[in-house]
Amino acid sequence: MTSNVVLLNQEDFLFTVYSKPARGRRPIRQHLWFGAREINTARSVDSMSSTPILISIVIPTWNRPVLLGRLVELINAENEAGDIEVVIVDDCSEEKNWKLLQDIAASNLNVKLYRNATNIGMTRNWNKAIEYARGQWIGFMCDDDLFKPDSIERIRKLISTTPKPCLILQNSSISFESEWIEPGVAAANRVALPPASGQFWHREITEKLGAFDERVKYCPDAEFWLRLAYHYPVLLVRDYLVIPYQHDTNYMWEIFRRPDFLEQVTLSITISSQWLLGENATDRQLVQYQIDDGIWETLRTVLNNTFLKSGEMKNFPRYLIEFIRYSFVMNRKRLMVKTIARLPLLRAKDFLRPIANQWGLLKK
């Protein structure tokens, strides 16, 4: 019997296996009850599969079944070898969305679906997904992004050519198609923080270094990639593997509204300073510069993304005030004026872009 999906409820440990059907037949559903811990239950499924898992693509999710469904279908379309598993961990979505997730899992091969009994928050849920992964390599995807066509095949080739465990990281600023960097401070400083989706690493790395730091509630991947680059080699790839999806329900908008957003940014930068500075991380002045610089860049990003944005302008004034304050702290008054002056132009470009696309004025 080939396992297709695991549905695990942490409260009562209901374990549902959809076996691979014969052609033209519906999946066979069996219900088994276990009193064991979650992780042991998950392992019992792996023993049913005869194909070793090369890659686990982990997808934490919350109330986005439709967007996630298209991603799962795309992955399975390029999984002819059957050596890729998709691990989905639902952070206690609404019941209607949970049912849709069950349908997605039941209709796609090599999917494991887990559900948290209560909402445990983004970072802990991301770590749950890594915990359940059984592949030799692990790839992280947000539930609203997509792989580019042939990205799975590209990853297979990259993995086959890596001489040892490493982090495969997207970086569009490098000069060649790919670049190998040995671990250390220099490698961490070469990490141009990418979107969370589409990064891959050998499972040995998180087994030794741990997963995302649960002290960081928002965007924990920023510290995570730097930590991995400090300790393990990095294979940078120039052409992105994913297509980040921009929409009104992006988690970015939610964290901008949180009162402790800047506090969390400060925490993340403080933790990351040990990977960026190495032995110099004990220099308080250098660490403070890292924090101030990181917050300034974060505030500039927030202004660029909230100015004249529907439903987001209410957050703009407080971040503008902080941006001005940090610009004086960092002695970046000229850059401050330039950044603020460009905001109307950015919105004008956003307005004109669909029109230009419609008339075929933009290069493909």
Side-chain angles (χ1 to χ4, degrees), residues 271-290:
I271 298 171
S272 300
S273 63
Q274 60 188 309
W275 319 127
L276 293 168
L277 299 176
E279 294 179 355
N280 294 322
T282 56
D283 187 324
R284 293 185 178 181
Q285 188 173 354
L286 277 177
V287 173
Q288 189 59 53
Y289 179 86
Q290 290 275 346

Side-chain angles (χ1 to χ4, degrees), residues 162-174:
T162 54
K164 50 188 173 182
C166 71
L167 166 65
I168 301 175
L169 199 69
Q170 301 159 109
N171 186 331
S172 61
S173 66
I174 62 175

Side-chain angles (χ1 to χ4, degrees), residues 145-271:
D145 293 334
L146 285 176
F147 281 111
K148 288 183 177 180
D150 300 324
S151 285
I152 301 298
E153 184 59 30
R154 283 180 60 200
I155 279 295
R156 288 184 186 278
K157 290 180 180 178
L158 289 169
I159 288 174
S160 68
T161 59
T162 54
K164 50 188 173 182
C166 71
L167 166 65
I168 301 175
L169 199 69
Q170 301 159 109
N171 186 331
S172 61
S173 66
I174 62 175
S175 300
F176 302 98
E177 289 186 6
S178 63
E179 183 177 349
W180 181 266
I181 306 176
E182 292 299 327
V185 171
N189 280 278
R190 289 289 308 280
V191 173
L193 293 176
S197 293
Q199 322 310 327
F200 289 77
W201 64 92
H202 194 280
R203 70 173 300 108
E204 172 189 306
I205 298 178
T206 38
E207 286 177 348
K208 291 189 176 181
L209 301 181
F212 298 102
D213 193 319
E214 294 185 1
R215 292 173 293 177
V216 182
K217 296 191 294 184
Y218 318 132
C219 304
D221 56 304
E223 182 275 336
F224 183 68
W225 310 130
L226 298 175
R227 180 175 9 125
L228 269 55
Y230 183 84
H231 290 94
Y232 278 85
V234 182
L235 177 61
L236 297 177
V237 293
R238 184 177 60 191
D239 296 331
Y240 270 35
L241 298 162
V242 299
I243 305 171
Y245 180 43
Q246 299 295 324
H247 54 93
D248 291 339
T249 60
N250 272 130
Y251 189 67
M252 172 182 70
W253 304 118
E254 178 64 27
I255 64 173
F256 286 171
R257 302 185 191 109
R258 301 288 175 86
D260 61 345
F261 171 58
L262 292 181
E263 178 184 328
Q264 281 286 308
V265 172
T266 301
L267 174 62
S268 178
I269 298 171
T270 302
I271 298 171

Side-chain angles (χ1 to χ4, degrees), residues 49-107:
S49 177
S50 58
T51 303
I53 302 300
L54 175 65
I55 304 171
S56 295
I57 297 178
V58 298
I59 313 173
T61 187
W62 184 67
N63 285 325
R64 282 178 178 163
V66 176
L67 295 176
L68 185 146
R70 61 178 191 165
L71 171 60
V72 172
E73 290 178 2
L74 187 150
I75 294 170
N76 274 329
E78 297 191 38
N79 188 23
E80 294 181 2
D83 58 354
I84 298 176
E85 67 170 4
V86 177
V87 179
I88 303 169
V89 182
D90 174 55
D91 200 15
C92 200
S93 293
E94 298 174 7
E95 285 302 317
K96 62 179 181 180
N97 291 325
W98 169 242
K99 290 178 181 178
L100 290 173
L101 289 176
Q102 290 177 291
D103 292 340
I104 291 168
S107 59

